[in-house]
Amino acid sequence: MGKNAKSARGVQKALGRKLDKSTLPPPPPPPEKEHGSSKPLEEPNLPGNGFKVLGKEGYDDGGVADLSLLIDLEDNVQRRRRGETEYFTKLKADLLPRATVGPMADLTRRDQKVSLAQLLFSEDDKCEDKGPSEVYTDLADGEEDVDTIRNRRERLAQARAALKMSLLLREPACASLSLSELCKRLLILAGKDGAEAALRCADKAIEIAGSGFWDSDEVAIEAENPPRIKTNYEKNATAPGLANPATLKYQPMRIAYLCLRSALLQRGNALAALGKEEEARESYEKVAPLLEEEPRCARVDWERHSLWVNIGNTYSRTGNFELADKHYQSAELLGNDHLSETGGSESDGKGMVACAKRARAFALKKAGRLDEAKAIMKTVVEQQIKDNLEAEKKEAEEKAAKETE
């Protein structure tokens, strides 16, 4: 006997699952064609004057293309790995990795990725780490008010949620970035007391970004509150890292470099919190080669600036002011370039110069050269007052101009 004829409902369901290839978008470009934000734009695509590339023609995109690579909203990696037909068939049947329980269960895979990006990168006025600088400062002095502690814990919880979501979506780049954020936010919440846990997160972020393999179960532990570390845990590293040859068939090396830059910097901060200055310095110094081919723009120069100041601080804390000041001078020079060169960002330049001068003043104080330290801080404060007055005047003029329109 042959098969029974399908019911009308079954036929309709089968037709609903059938893929119309004529409606598919163009295939993604090959990985080697994805340059992220390393390639300057011919015209600025964002408002403001902080996006001109110094020393050459072009404009920075503000990191937008890098963010697109890391979050991969278009699922280019999955599409290359599975092939267009299989990918879109599974997408239509809702068979691709996504959260299926909890508050995000009703969101599509793409919308869950948007939520993940918000967890990782959104900032508000309460964020103590708001802004472009990544200079390590111990903010946990034991005198924080209730609201500050609550906000720090909420930020830490967001990073844990981002890590959990990254693993559910099977997005290793986002998992690495989530671990780096966990490292950063643990240090903000607990300072030295949280440094061991922060260092553990940074090391796992580096492992994901590397050329070897990593253990997703071991990483998932960091999404728990608190993480339950098992001393007898037998590692099962089977997931290829972002720089592993198996991974690079489907995505550009730049993704690994972006994650590594963040993880190494935060690892240096965790080591500095533990008082391991030489190891911290080595971690910071590993970032510098990853920035050599990056454009000279305010966004990346802040990253370079943070490195030089952090390295200088490791020397200052070990009593070597001369080597510390050498790095503060390098950091200050980055800011002066933006103040002196055509198209530089004046506000970012002033910020970099002020940050480098404050670091030098603290180092001078530590070295017992109090009068020099006070003189430098006096110039920093005076410049800040002047800049604030100019900003207020400009804001008032713009408001008056709008009212007369």
Side-chain angles (χ1 to χ4, degrees):
M1 292 180 63
K3 293 183 179 179
N4 293 329
K6 293 181 178 178
S7 66
R9 184 178 178 185
V11 170
Q12 196 64 34
K13 287 179 68 176
L15 288 173
R17 289 193 298 267
K18 189 174 181 180
L19 188 67
D20 183 358
K21 294 184 180 181
S22 66
T23 64
L24 300 184
E32 61 270 18
K33 296 292 185 180
E34 292 187 314
H35 304 290
S37 300
S38 64
K39 187 177 181 180
L41 305 173
E42 292 183 4
E43 299 290 338
N45 66 350
L46 293 168
N49 60 356
F51 300 101
K52 180 71 177 68
V53 175
L54 300 184
K56 62 166 67 174
E57 296 297 320
Y59 297 83
D60 179 44
D61 73 345
V64 172
D66 280 344
L67 178 61
S68 296
L69 280 180
L70 292 165
I71 301 297
D72 194 15
L73 279 181
E74 303 306 321
D75 255 354
N76 287 346
V77 175
Q78 287 279 353
R79 289 168 65 185
R80 295 187 190 109
R81 191 186 301 275
R82 296 173 181 269
E84 296 290 271
T85 300
E86 180 186 342
Y87 170 81
F88 284 104
T89 299
K90 288 187 177 295
L91 179 65
K92 193 170 185 178
D94 194 19
L95 295 175
L96 293 175
R98 71 178 187 91
T100 56
V101 295
M104 294 190 185
D106 292 335
L107 300 181
T108 65
R109 175 174 165 83
R110 180 187 176 88
D111 287 343
Q112 288 183 6
K113 284 191 174 189
V114 172
S115 297
L116 172 58
Q118 292 171 342
L119 285 171
L120 276 173
F121 303 112
S122 64
E123 294 180 338
D124 56 35
D125 292 336
K126 295 180 181 179
C127 294
E128 296 168 272
D129 55 340
K130 185 177 181 180
S133 177
E134 291 286 354
V135 172
Y136 172 68
T137 305
D138 189 354
L139 299 175
D141 57 12
E143 299 181 3
E144 298 87 352
D145 58 33
V146 174
D147 288 340
T148 298
I149 295 296
R150 183 189 304 113
N151 184 63
R152 290 178 182 178
R153 286 176 176 164
E154 287 175 356
R155 295 276 291 165
L156 183 61
Q158 287 176 354
R160 288 194 172 115
L163 177 58
K164 185 176 181 179
M165 180 64 70
S166 300
L167 294 171
L168 281 171
L169 293 170
R170 297 182 192 172
E171 293 292 335
C174 295
S176 179
L177 291 175
S178 299
L179 287 163
S180 294
E181 279 298 309
L182 272 171
C183 174
K184 179 179 179 179
R185 297 178 194 188
L186 279 164
L187 291 175
I188 291 174
L189 174 64
K192 185 176 180 179
D193 290 341
E196 289 287 356
L199 180 59
R200 188 179 65 241
C201 289
D203 284 337
K204 291 180 181 181
I206 290 170
E207 191 171 36
I208 293 174
S211 59
F213 295 84
W214 57 283
D215 182 346
S216 59
D217 290 335
E218 184 185 43
V219 167
I221 292 171
E222 303 301 340
E224 299 173 2
N225 183 24
R228 290 172 287 186
I229 307 301
K230 300 175 183 177
T231 56
N232 61 343
Y233 180 78
E234 187 174 339
K235 190 167 183 173
N236 183 27
T238 57
L242 297 171
N244 188 290
T247 303
L248 295 177
K249 294 177 183 178
Y250 308 107
Q251 65 184 44
M253 186 67 176
R254 181 167 184 80
I255 294 177
Y257 285 164
L258 289 170
C259 293
L260 199 56
R261 278 158 51 178
S262 178
L264 285 168
L265 176 60
Q266 298 305 331
R267 182 176 186 271
N269 290 347
L271 288 164
L274 290 168
K276 300 180 179 181
E277 304 296 353
E278 186 174 347
E279 292 178 61
R281 186 160 58 246
E282 289 174 357
S283 192
Y284 294 138
E285 288 172 344
K286 288 178 181 177
V287 182
L290 302 176
L291 296 173
E292 287 178 356
E293 301 300 321
E294 294 296 307
R296 282 294 313 278
C297 58
R299 175 180 59 86
V300 184
D301 276 354
W302 269 112
E303 196 171 347
R304 296 182 175 102
H305 178 277
S306 298
L307 284 182
W308 301 144
V309 174
N310 279 327
I311 292 171
N313 287 345
T314 66
Y315 282 117
S316 171
R317 289 190 290 263
T318 53
N320 192 333
F321 175 77
E322 285 68 27
L323 278 178
D325 195 43
K326 177 182 176 181
H327 288 84
Y328 299 148
Q329 290 174 22
S330 296
E332 188 173 346
L333 180 60
L334 289 171
N336 284 326
D337 286 347
H338 282 274
L339 295 174
S340 61
E341 294 192 25
T342 303
S345 171
E346 182 179 5
S347 60
D348 288 295
K350 286 181 177 180
M352 292 179 204
V353 170
C355 182
K357 284 185 175 181
R358 281 195 296 269
R360 181 181 292 112
F362 290 134
L364 283 166
K365 181 180 178 181
K366 189 173 182 64
R369 296 159 63 172
L370 295 180
D371 290 341
E372 294 173 76
K374 290 178 181 178
I376 289 176
M377 284 304 298
K378 184 173 183 291
T379 64
V380 171
V381 172
E382 289 174 347
Q383 185 63 50
Q384 187 63 61
I385 292 172
K386 181 181 177 181
D387 292 343
N388 289 344
L389 290 173
E390 289 178 356
E392 291 173 4
K393 181 181 177 182
K394 184 178 179 180
E395 184 179 354
E397 290 173 348
E398 290 175 350
K399 183 178 180 181
K402 287 182 179 179
E403 290 175 350
T404 57
E405 289 179 355

